[in-house]
Amino acid sequence: MPQPANVEETRREAGLQPNQPARERWAHAWRLSTRYFVSDDWKWAWFLVACFCAIEASSTYIFLLTNRWQRSFYDAIEQRQGGLFLSLVLTFAMIAALEIGVIFFNNIVGMTLAVRWRKWLTEWYLGRWFARDRFYEIERLRLIDNPDQRIAEDLKEFTAMGMPYGTSPLVIVIGLVSSVIRAVLFAVILTQTSSPISIPFFGHEIPLPGGDMIWFAILYVLFGTVVITWIGKPFVRRRMREQHYEADFRSDMLHVRRNAEQIAFSGAQRIEQDGLRVAFENIRRNWYQLMLASAGLSAGQSIYQRVMGMVPLFLTVPKYFAGKITFGQVQGARDAFEQFSASLSYAVNVYPSIARQVANVNRLKALDDAIDHERPRGIAFTPGGTPDGVAISASNLELRRPNGALLLSVDQWTIREGERWVIEGPSGAGKTTLLRAIAGLWPDGAGAVAMTQRGSAMLVPQRLYLPLGTLKNAICFPDRAEDHDDAVIAALLDQVRLSTHIDAMHELRMWQDELSPGEQQRVALARILLQRPTLLVVDEATSALDADNAANFYQAVIGELPGATIVSVVHDEKLASYHTHRLRLDHGHATCAKIEMKA
């Protein structure tokens, strides 16, 4: 797989360059998180957020009910109040039923919001990715790796809400607000079992509000947060590397699938297998480092949670032995301490989720930077900028490679309507690049290109694109198959000598794999005859055809479209006779000539 261009964001993701300032990253995360909530779907967005917040408030209320029930239950056990046992069991059942309902609706609301949010962001990214041919420019310059994976996977994680996958920034923020509210509520409960605490200061005792339980919880959380954050620091980078290497591995395997026949014919199985082995080796090496980072983080969190359950007992049991509080208050204080500490240590508990979202936001920012990246256009392209009677004009044209090296110079080239031009030259002379330039797809260089907007234009590459679906879909592309009658398509298949596929035109197959290169180029001919363009640009569209079918290709086009303007790249001199003009590329320069028609 070709390596990405040596651009800043690629180097950052590879760990070869420091990240952008945190302020820029946070600003991007804020814009990405809030964009949907001011979109055309804002009513649904805010309604579902309000429902989600109401569910979080209900969860907090259930925590309070559970805490009160625990105190009553353990007090009843301590005082052997058997008559209260049945009512307490029924109360527990009602609280449990309420909790089940809250969890159920939390999933429904969260996942509904997630899919609507993801749908809107996906359409927004796809629109920008396809706009101005950014998808082509990103791949041509290798600005970033795997933009498809970022749109499919990173957006999915970024918008995930509801159990068990709710880790989106919105969930984290709502959870933070909820944790603050819970901390206040459970702090009030802790004051009932806390002892006064004061700090000696120059012979004076300064009392602290809240009591020892609250201050021990605060100190414990601060200490745990610092330690867990330090332990988990490598996790973010390793998580980003994991996404990067996993995406590369999937892309390499997809490459094998797409080129399975060529690999099998050439006996390149071992080479491709070695390449996949190298790609997976990157995953393996990073996995061990990620494993250590994850294990350290998990161990720290586990110890943190275990000790959190014991600290309140160490503080309250002596008071229970002294008869100052009841056994129910001990259990209630323990629960309140854990809830209070969990609320204060929210960042510690969701640190893995925050780390994943940091990685997602970084990768999405790289995608945004690549989509918004505007490389200076050296070649001015003007659709509709030709005078009457001129289909394409190029002046002072210089084609350069992305690294700046000069490829081809074309001083003046004018293609009048109805002319048929053949472009000739040795391999690597710049023929395909020239076609990209006159189509506005190659900005690297200098000069100006103008193309008429009168009529319709069609560009046919050497390797035809066949969309997934039926053969009829492939022929009608980019039109819908329903827009053309079966009889018309059947006649075209017969005309281009593909009549054996007429009965299968509606079958769903991988036609890109089933049709030979020669058959695919005959599908291209059928597409041309169906669309009937007035300007046709073809890049070696007969390279896989035998001499008879290649001649039939041009005879059919000229016979059916006698007034069409044609620009084609061919290597067979016999096919040049179907053209009226020649553009010869040699040693970086182009010369124009008229082809004399033989009697």
Side-chain angles (χ1 to χ4, degrees):
M1 181 176 181
Q3 291 301 306
N6 188 26
V7 295
E8 286 190 3
E9 197 57 52
T10 301
R11 290 178 61 81
R12 290 191 192 101
E13 291 191 352
L16 302 177
Q17 186 166 319
N19 283 335
Q20 290 178 341
R23 177 177 54 81
E24 296 184 21
R25 299 279 176 178
W26 281 110
H28 179 266
W30 172 258
R31 291 192 299 270
L32 190 61
S33 301
T34 57
R35 196 178 299 274
Y36 168 63
F37 295 93
V38 293
S39 69
D40 52 358
D41 199 37
W42 68 271
K43 292 182 180 179
W44 266 105
W46 285 105
F47 170 72
L48 291 171
V49 167
C51 292
F52 199 81
C53 291
I55 290 171
E56 280 292 315
S58 300
S59 298
T60 301
Y61 181 66
I62 290 174
F63 278 124
L64 290 176
L65 290 179
T66 303
N67 183 269
R68 293 172 184 171
W69 178 87
Q70 279 188 335
R71 293 175 58 181
S72 300
F73 182 76
Y74 287 108
D75 280 342
I77 291 176
E78 181 187 25
Q79 298 169 17
R80 293 181 172 83
Q81 295 176 329
L84 298 177
F85 183 77
L86 181 60
S87 62
L88 287 171
V89 170
L90 293 176
T91 302
F92 175 81
M94 288 189 290
I95 294 174
L98 183 60
E99 186 173 7
I100 292 172
V102 167
I103 293 174
F104 176 81
F105 284 106
N106 176 74
N107 285 313
I108 296 297
V109 172
M111 296 181 75
T112 301
L113 176 58
V115 73
R116 297 184 72 95
W117 190 3
R118 182 186 178 190
K119 175 179 180 292
W120 189 91
L121 275 178
T122 299
E123 291 179 351
W124 184 66
Y125 268 101
L126 289 177
R128 295 168 60 225
W129 190 40
F130 281 102
R132 301 174 289 116
D133 296 323
R134 296 307 303 162
F135 70 97
Y136 168 72
E137 188 75 355
I138 289 172
E139 294 303 316
R140 185 177 76 89
L141 299 176
R142 293 294 296 152
L143 294 178
I144 56 171
D145 67 277
N146 305 298
D148 53 318
Q149 187 259 358
R150 298 171 194 248
I151 295 175
E153 296 296 330
D154 293 340
L155 281 183
K156 178 182 177 182
E157 281 203 26
F158 184 80
T159 57
M161 297 187 67
M163 295 296 289
Y165 307 111
T167 60
S168 76
L170 181 60
V171 171
I172 294 173
V173 171
I174 293 176
L176 177 61
V177 175
S178 178
S179 295
V180 172
I181 296 174
R182 289 179 186 176
V184 173
L185 293 176
F186 284 105
V188 174
I189 296 175
L190 282 178
T191 58
Q192 300 173 8
T193 53
S194 293
S195 300
I197 187 172
S198 59
I199 300 178
F201 185 75
F202 292 104
H204 298 281
E205 294 289 331
I206 301 178
L208 296 178
D212 58 348
M213 295 284 288
I214 293 177
W215 285 103
F216 274 113
I218 293 174
L219 292 175
Y220 181 75
V221 168
L222 289 177
F223 175 77
T225 301
V226 172
V227 172
I228 295 298
T229 303
W230 178 75
I231 293 175
K233 190 175 182 181
F235 186 82
V236 176
R237 175 62 64 183
R238 292 301 158 195
R239 177 67 179 177
M240 286 187 64
R241 295 280 181 85
E242 180 194 26
Q243 292 174 316
H244 175 85
Y245 292 141
E246 291 283 1
D248 281 349
F249 185 55
R250 288 195 301 270
S251 178
D252 288 352
M253 288 193 291
L254 182 60
H255 172 76
V256 173
R257 285 182 54 199
R258 288 176 174 172
N259 300 278
E261 185 177 20
Q262 294 92 322
I263 294 172
F265 272 134
S266 59
Q269 294 91 332
R270 181 169 295 278
I271 295 176
E272 293 298 329
Q273 186 175 354
D274 289 343
L276 290 174
R277 189 177 290 113
V278 171
F280 187 79
E281 181 63 20
N282 290 332
I283 296 175
R284 188 190 67 82
R285 284 199 305 266
N286 182 74
W287 180 261
Y288 283 117
Q289 294 173 315
L290 179 64
M291 178 179 66
L292 292 175
S294 179
L297 183 60
S298 298
Q301 287 181 312
S302 178
I303 295 172
Y304 180 83
Q305 293 293 338
R306 180 65 63 86
V307 174
M308 183 188 295
M310 299 304 298
V311 169
L313 293 180
F314 297 153
L315 295 174
T316 55
V317 167
K319 300 175 186 178
Y320 170 73
F321 289 153
K324 295 181 179 179
I325 58 176
T326 66
F327 186 67
Q329 286 179 309
V330 171
Q331 295 298 328
R334 178 183 182 181
D335 181 65
F337 184 93
E338 291 180 351
Q339 295 297 335
F340 179 69
S341 299
S343 300
L344 293 182
S345 57
Y346 180 75
V348 174
N349 297 329
V350 299
Y351 191 88
S353 299
I354 294 175
R356 285 194 294 271
Q357 289 306 327
V358 169
N360 290 335
V361 169
N362 286 345
R363 286 175 58 79
L364 289 172
K365 187 179 190 306
L367 176 61
D368 280 316
D369 290 346
I371 291 176
D372 297 335
H373 174 73
E374 285 291 349
R375 203 157 180 259
R377 171 175 278 276
I379 300 175
F381 179 72
T382 309
T386 59
D388 292 341
V390 176
I392 299 174
S393 66
S395 58
N396 302 319
L397 187 61
E398 288 185 357
L399 300 181
R400 295 187 177 274
R401 302 183 189 276
N403 62 7
L406 180 63
L407 177 63
L408 178 66
S409 296
V410 182
D411 296 332
Q412 188 68 39
W413 185 28
T414 301
I415 302 174
R416 299 190 178 278
E417 293 179 355
E419 293 180 345
R420 301 191 295 273
W421 283 76
V422 59
I423 302 176
E424 298 175 332
S427 179
K431 301 183 294 297
T432 299
T433 304
L434 179 59
L435 293 187
R436 292 170 181 165
I438 65 176
L441 297 177
W442 193 267
D444 300 326
V449 174
M451 176 184 286
T452 182
Q453 285 190 320
R454 294 180 292 274
S456 59
M458 178 181 287
L459 282 74
V460 182
Q462 180 180 6
R463 185 176 179 179
L464 187 68
Y465 169 67
L466 297 180
L468 297 176
T470 66
L471 181 58
K472 184 180 179 183
N473 284 335
I475 294 173
C476 297
F477 182 84
D479 292 347
R480 297 183 307 167
E482 298 79 14
D483 296 338
H484 301 278
D485 294 334
D486 288 353
V488 174
I489 304 303
L492 285 175
L493 286 171
D494 183 63
Q495 185 177 358
V496 301
R497 304 176 180 178
L498 289 175
S499 57
T500 56
H501 296 296
I502 291 177
D503 293 337
M505 75 166 71
H506 292 295
E507 294 182 10
L508 294 171
R509 298 183 188 174
M510 295 292 293
W511 292 102
Q512 187 87 42
D513 298 330
E514 289 201 23
L515 297 178
S516 69
E519 288 177 316
Q520 292 183 35
Q521 290 188 339
R522 278 179 273 171
V523 169
L525 174 58
R527 192 180 291 176
I528 292 169
L529 300 180
L530 179 66
Q531 301 292 336
R532 307 185 68 82
T534 57
L535 172 60
L536 179 63
V537 180
V538 293
D539 182 13
E540 299 188 54
T542 59
S543 60
L545 298 175
D546 58 85
D548 182 50
N549 275 303
N552 180 68
F553 184 101
Y554 279 97
Q555 289 169 3
V557 171
I558 295 173
E560 295 288 337
L561 310 172
T565 305
I566 300 175
V567 182
S568 56
V569 172
V570 297
H571 285 288
D572 189 350
E573 181 62 28
K574 294 180 181 178
L575 299 179
S577 61
Y578 294 102
H579 300 80
T580 60
H581 295 75
R582 173 185 283 111
L583 184 71
R584 179 69 186 176
L585 309 185
D586 192 25
H587 294 93
H589 295 280
T591 55
C592 303
K594 187 173 183 180
I595 298 176
E596 298 296 334
M597 306 301 295
K598 295 181 181 180

